[in-house]
Amino acid sequence: MVDLTRKFDVLVIGGGNAALCAAISARRAGASVLVLEGAPKFYRGGNTRHTRNMRCAHDAATDILTGPYTEEEFWDDLLQLTGGQTDEALAKFMIRESRDILGWIVEQGVRWQPSLGGTLSLGRTNSFFLGGGRAMLNALYLTAEKLGVDILYDAEVVDLDIDNGMFLSAALKQGDGRINVRASALIAAAGGFEANIEWLREYWGEAADNFLIRGTPYNRGTILKMLLDKGVQEVGDPAQCHAVAIDARAPKFDGGIITRHDSVVFGIVVNKHAERFYDEGEDIWPKRYAIWGRLVAAQPDQIAYIIFDASSRNSFMPTLFPPIEAGSVAGLATKFELDPAALEKTVADFNAAVRPGTFDHTILDDCRTEGLTPPKTHWARRIETPPYYAYPVRPGITFTYLGTRVNREARMLMKDGRPSANMFAAGEIMAGNVLGKGYAAGIGMTIGSVFGRVAGREAAKNARN
């Protein structure tokens, strides 16, 4: 049993990668640590349960990485995907710190494996967790427990007592009542508000009702809202998020990685009017896959269809749901209540615009269209080999970018610009400092691990002082 009457050095709210890295870091620095995970034990870990890899800078190939990924290249990739909407000093700090994370995370019991094959092309840039995100979490929890970190599950925080930028206590729901948990420092690592459809609706309108949530249903943004309401400075556009195209047949919550589609580059994408609306070959998939959630969100009824033929059927990572099949393009249209003539025309126009080239989905190849709007600038091949296939897709929200502003100590900043006396943040709840928009595979885990480790170290130091 955890003694909640004592005052802890560090209180961590959250239970995913960022929270565990923070708890372990603080405990290794000599602090007493309590972790409050709002989910039941089986569902512990937030969105980390669904992750597979992490992006870190490194100088050379290793047993699990095929080549170097320099700080400069990492920064260039981040600059491109965010369009410059990032805190440059903080982002470069994160990239520099990420170099140490590859080894540090192994010291906490996590194991790596060589890159998975398929369409992602991440073997040089990203390290994959042996056993996936859940195995990674289990290793971190085991280490935290061995170090003496106290952990409570089903631990719903209903209020925070904050006085002029100083955390005093958290009110924890207990049955029909509540108990106040005191600590010398707070680390907020409780995720964004992606599972709060009502909050999403404030920025997206009725379109939010058609969003699917890839991750945990427990990330409702309650801690984030409390912090912002109590004087913490916000960062990030509330309408920006990490969103990908996922299968429209996926569950409302917690569908995870297996509902995502990596097949866009192998065909075309049309909306409910059977019209293409964006270049499916704009850039290499790890850098561009995350744009498709927002693109589909902007389409009528937030629905789209990935269309391809038999020549591409086995070219990409299989998903939980099989594609819908038909012997003709018109037949495919009827299965989705699309206008058959409209879809036939869209496919015919696309085929007529395709110019011959050498197809290679791992590079920006020379297979393109000409005289077509929107163009397909790479990987364009005629869709003409029956049977024909389609996946229905909707926006799959991973996490939101509205968050708490922090400095390089992971210390929260108040609305007047002052650093908080004893409050820190890590993970999705502060990701908007680095990600103003856009996403590339593995960066969320980088943010969580780097700032979790820093927050734990700094919170422990703060508590001792």
Side-chain angles (χ1 to χ4, degrees):
M1 297 291 291
V2 179
D3 179 9
L4 296 180
T5 63
R6 63 177 289 201
K7 184 177 183 179
F8 291 85
D9 291 330
V10 176
L11 175 66
V12 180
I13 302 178
N17 168 57
L20 269 294
C21 287
I24 290 169
S25 176
R27 184 66 186 136
R28 289 197 182 280
S32 60
V33 182
L34 173 63
V35 172
L36 300 180
E37 163 60 288
K41 185 174 182 179
F42 180 81
Y43 291 104
R44 70 184 183 183
N47 288 340
T48 305
R49 295 182 300 121
H50 298 300
T51 60
R52 295 188 296 180
N53 60 75
M54 185 190 305
R55 181 179 295 252
C56 293
H58 51 275
D59 290 330
T62 68
D63 291 344
I64 56 157
L65 293 161
T66 61
Y69 187 52
T70 65
E71 292 181 36
E72 292 73 21
E73 185 181 0
F74 195 158
W75 166 246
D76 287 344
D77 286 343
L78 184 62
L79 194 62
Q80 179 185 359
L81 66 93
T82 62
Q85 295 184 34
T86 183
D87 182 322
E88 180 173 349
L90 207 60
K92 287 184 174 179
F93 168 76
M94 179 201 74
I95 291 169
R96 185 166 63 253
E97 290 284 313
S98 77
R99 299 167 65 93
D100 293 335
I101 286 294
L102 283 173
W104 183 83
I105 208 80
V106 170
E107 294 171 3
Q108 315 318 316
V110 177
R111 294 292 177 263
W112 303 115
Q113 68 179 34
S115 171
L116 301 178
T119 57
L120 290 181
S121 307
L122 294 172
R124 182 174 63 84
T125 60
N126 288 41
S127 300
F128 281 72
F129 307 118
L130 179 63
R134 191 181 284 273
M136 184 244 196
L137 270 172
N138 289 343
L140 292 180
Y141 270 99
L142 183 61
T143 295
E145 289 163 356
K146 286 180 176 179
L147 289 172
V149 172
D150 287 309
I151 301 167
L152 282 182
Y153 300 103
D154 286 307
E156 181 184 355
V157 175
V158 293
D159 196 13
L160 297 173
D161 186 2
I162 297 170
D163 181 20
N164 195 30
M166 175 175 281
F167 169 77
L168 300 175
S169 66
L172 182 63
K173 185 177 181 182
Q174 288 232 309
D176 294 331
R178 59 170 68 182
I179 185 170
N180 285 332
V181 180
R182 296 172 301 133
S184 297
L186 169 71
I187 300 175
F193 66 94
E194 59 273 4
N196 190 329
I197 304 300
E198 295 81 5
W199 197 350
L200 290 174
R201 199 182 290 128
E202 291 182 22
Y203 309 110
W204 290 88
E206 293 181 0
D209 294 330
N210 289 324
F211 292 175
L212 302 176
I213 314 307
R214 299 176 69 205
T216 175
Y218 297 96
N219 280 10
R220 296 185 50 79
T222 52
I223 302 302
L224 172 61
K225 194 169 195 326
M226 289 177 201
L227 291 168
L228 299 183
D229 287 346
K230 292 175 184 289
V232 175
Q233 186 179 156
E234 70 176 51
V235 68
D237 180 347
Q240 289 289 340
C241 56
H242 172 20
V244 303
I246 70 170
D247 202 292
R249 298 163 289 181
K252 185 69 174 177
F253 298 98
D254 239 1
I257 197 79
I258 58 175
T259 62
R260 192 185 76 198
H261 285 294
D262 297 337
S263 51
V264 166
V265 300
F266 296 96
I268 60 173
V269 185
V270 302
N271 59 22
K272 65 177 288 188
H273 301 304
E275 299 170 341
R276 291 178 60 249
F277 52 90
Y278 199 79
D279 177 0
E280 302 90 349
E282 183 178 48
D283 204 345
I284 294 291
W285 194 237
K287 297 179 183 178
R288 302 307 299 179
Y289 80 96
I291 67 172
W292 283 91
R294 296 186 66 85
L295 290 171
V296 174
Q299 297 308 303
D301 295 338
Q302 295 70 55
I303 188 76
Y305 306 89
I306 304 170
I307 311 291
F308 56 99
D309 68 11
S311 67
S312 299
R313 177 66 178 87
N314 298 314
S315 299
F316 48 84
M317 194 82 71
T319 58
L320 178 62
F321 300 97
I324 304 299
E325 178 182 336
S328 67
V329 172
L332 197 60
T334 60
K335 295 196 174 187
F336 295 105
E337 299 183 354
L338 301 177
D339 182 337
L343 186 59
E344 283 184 320
K345 182 178 188 306
T346 294
V347 172
D349 289 347
F350 173 77
N351 288 344
V354 171
R355 294 296 173 260
T358 302
F359 180 83
D360 185 346
H361 71 81
T362 65
I363 63 171
L364 297 174
D365 70 10
D366 59 351
C367 296
R368 60 184 179 84
T369 61
E370 194 173 281
L372 188 68
T373 303
K376 185 172 182 181
T377 47
H378 303 96
W379 313 302
R381 294 188 295 180
R382 293 168 63 91
I383 300 172
E384 59 186 0
T385 307
Y388 299 91
Y389 299 95
Y391 286 113
V393 292
R394 286 198 183 278
I397 310 300
T398 310
F399 65 91
T400 48
Y401 289 176
L402 176 68
T404 60
R405 190 177 291 279
V406 300
N407 60 21
R408 67 175 56 197
E409 294 177 348
R411 190 185 295 265
M412 294 186 225
L413 302 182
M414 307 308 290
K415 284 186 170 67
D416 61 7
R418 290 180 301 118
S420 163
N422 61 348
M423 298 192 296
F424 303 81
E428 293 174 7
I429 201 168
M430 49 68 62
N433 289 271
V434 175
L435 293 170
K437 69 173 186 177
Y439 191 76
I443 288 184
M445 292 298 286
T446 313
I447 293 171
S449 298
V450 166
F451 286 101
R453 183 188 182 196
V454 171
R457 181 178 68 221
E458 296 298 327
K461 184 191 304 181
N462 192 95
R464 287 199 304 272
N465 293 336

